[in-house]
Amino acid sequence: MTENAFAWFIDRHLAEGRGAQPVFRDAWRAVDYAGLRAEASRFGTALLGSGIRREQRIVLILQDSVDFPVAFWGALHAGIVPIPVNTLLTAAQIAYIIADSRVAAVVVSAPLLPSLAATLAGTRTIITAHDGAADDLRPLLATGVPDAPPAAASADEAAFWLYSSGSTGSPKGTRHVHGSLRATYECYAAQILGITAQDVTFSASKMFHAYGLGNAMTFPMAVGAQSVLMAERPTPEAVLATMRAAQPSLFYGAPTLYAALLAHPGLGRGAGSARLRHCISAGEALPASVGARWSQTVGVDILDGIGSTEMLHIFASNRPGAVRYGTTGEAVPGYELRLVDEHGADVADGASGEMLVRGPSAADGYWNQRAKTRRTFMGEWTRTGDLYVREADGRYRYEGRADDMMKVGGVWVSPFEVESVLIAHPAVLEAAVVGHADSDGLVKPKAFLTLQENARDIDRAALFAELKEMVKARAGAWKYPRWIEVVDALPKTATGKIQRFLLRA
């Protein structure tokens, strides 16, 4: 039998009589396992019929709707490699990913197409997708075969890629194998969440993230459960409306969203869902105050954990009934953790060290980035770049990043990328960006600037507003500096390198 993940996540349910069980529901339609199987098969066979070959790659620039799993699983069915892409990236960043991955086709949600038309102009095949409206996907599906067998594949064969941001702003294509999808379910979703076929899941974190991919897609599909999908941006209003309408039992978000929900007057017991039994957080460290206030207001604890694009999902987490806010809990069963110093030696309890993780869902490496692959994937161990302290009882407490990267709203931000935009302004001489905690303890970018001599008397309020809009437009809406401070000089080493740690302090 093939070890193509399609067989275990989809065909197994039909063989065991769950074909009529609903699996995905969005604002336009719902699909059961039999329907998903037929549409995915049609998509995969139609791609092959159009001339796209096995092991070639397609980029998915898709909002969270039923079309996402249809395209993702359809590609796996055909042995084609899907690459989900963050829909919030700028056109230039998406252009980089398309060029770097050498894709044969792009599948894009129709509402996103106008802003990407110039970027996609040279792409051979563009497939628009939009539930409830005219698009290219529906005619394409009509040309496919609904009941074709999936391509034979081993558990160790590359199944899909996810792009992870790099320290210089250039993202890295992270290759994941078929077997990793099942491994994240068996380690985390089964043993920490105890997910069952009776659960209804809702992930505000999108499926283009490794975190959201498990939350909204593979975890419910592993047990025959149902997932509710929301295409729009996860504002507190939209999230609470979906919670009330869908009544999920499992809710997944990031700390920034939990803090925003706590500030919303409509938040109450169960966050609108009478069935809510677990809330899960990842993407950035959860401030203890946010967790405590959520438990008091909603009546359900947040299970804070840490995962990464390289490990596909959460590998250390708090446990139901044993939550300690301010910590990331313990290793998820199936994973091992180490904390090491700068020389690679294990550190004692109470001392800070970089976290290494070993487990069954580690990526196969980065595409065309050999040096970074060798540095991150050290045999069976994967470097996370996160600094932690292990407390005496075995729980892990987050200390920050081993490099200058920061997570904002669960998404990596490179200081270099933001600085590059800031110094493009004619009034700015130098710029340094660091992470700074807001009133909720959540990390956001803060910029320190030196100004050009002829700009010393500039209207600084107007300049700061202009710089923020520049960063939003050129780097990404979530990357703009929330605070900007002008200084006489930036602290530097003898060789001229900016000492960001002094600015963080």
Side-chain angles (χ1 to χ4, degrees), residues 22 39 88 133 156 189 192 215 249 267 316 351 367 394 422 449 488 500:
E39 288 196 32
L88 300 176
D156 294 333
I192 303 299
N215 303 342
S249 54
L267 183 70
W367 165 254
L422 294 173
L449 309 178
D488 292 331
R500 289 191 181 88

Side-chain angles (χ1 to χ4, degrees), residues 254-256 281-288 290 304-306 326-328 386 388 397-400 407 410 440-443:
T256 297
S281 178
E284 57 187 330
L286 179 74
V290 172
D304 186 32
I306 177 178
T327 78
T328 314
D386 292 298
Y388 270 87
R397 176 166 44 85
Y398 181 67
E399 291 283 291
K407 272 191 174 179
D440 288 312
L442 297 170
V443 172

Side-chain angles (χ1 to χ4, degrees), residues 188-427:
Y188 177 76
Q191 298 185 79
I192 303 299
L193 302 182
I195 190 170
T196 73
Q198 285 67 52
D199 277 308
V200 175
T201 71
F202 170 44
S203 177
S205 297
K206 302 300 186 180
M207 288 189 287
F208 54 67
H209 289 306
Y211 177 47
L213 193 74
N215 303 342
M217 192 170 72
T218 55
F219 292 170
M221 290 181 69
V223 295
Q226 184 180 10
S227 178
V228 175
L229 306 177
M230 185 181 77
E232 64 261 39
R233 190 167 61 90
T235 63
E237 292 79 10
V239 167
L240 290 174
T242 301
M243 293 290 287
R244 291 190 294 268
Q247 294 290 296
S249 54
L250 300 174
F251 173 68
Y252 305 82
T256 297
L257 176 60
Y258 284 111
L261 287 166
L262 282 166
H264 193 280
L267 183 70
R269 306 302 283 181
S273 174
R275 293 189 297 199
L276 188 65
R277 68 182 185 89
H278 288 320
C279 297
I280 300 93
S281 178
E284 57 187 330
L286 179 74
S289 61
V290 172
R293 286 192 291 136
W294 182 271
S295 294
Q296 183 178 13
T297 304
V298 176
V300 178
D301 286 334
I302 298 176
L303 305 179
D304 186 32
I306 177 178
S308 69
T309 303
E310 289 77 6
M311 295 303 295
L312 193 55
H313 211 274
I314 292 171
F315 50 78
S317 178
N318 280 274
R319 306 293 202 275
V323 170
R324 182 191 295 170
Y325 291 124
T327 78
T328 314
E330 303 168 84
V332 169
Y335 294 94
E336 297 176 63
L337 304 175
R338 292 172 57 200
L339 300 183
V340 300
D341 61 20
E342 62 271 25
H343 306 295
D346 292 276
V347 302
D349 287 355
S352 179
E354 182 182 357
M355 180 176 281
L356 308 185
V357 56
R358 176 165 67 182
S361 61
D364 190 42
Y366 300 129
W367 165 254
N368 274 357
Q369 303 236 18
R370 185 167 179 255
K372 291 180 180 178
T373 295
R374 295 173 71 180
R375 175 171 170 78
T376 300
F377 302 98
M378 305 184 304
E380 294 183 325
W381 293 94
T382 300
R383 300 182 67 156
T384 67
D386 292 298
L387 297 176
Y388 270 87
V389 168
R390 184 174 57 244
E391 299 181 342
D393 64 357
R395 295 174 188 252
Y396 290 84
R397 176 166 44 85
Y398 181 67
E399 291 283 291
R401 286 290 294 172
D403 55 26
D404 289 317
M405 294 286 285
M406 69 191 88
K407 272 191 174 179
V408 178
V411 181
W412 286 118
V413 172
S414 163
F416 177 85
E417 183 181 22
V418 180
E419 291 160 5
S420 297
V421 177
L422 294 173
I423 62 176
H425 192 284

Side-chain angles (χ1 to χ4, degrees), residues 436-439 442 444-448 468 481-485:
H436 182 75
D438 64 14
S439 59
L442 297 170
K444 302 291 187 291
K446 179 176 181 177
F448 294 86
K468 290 177 181 181
R482 277 37 167 200
W483 310 270
I484 300 177
E485 184 174 335

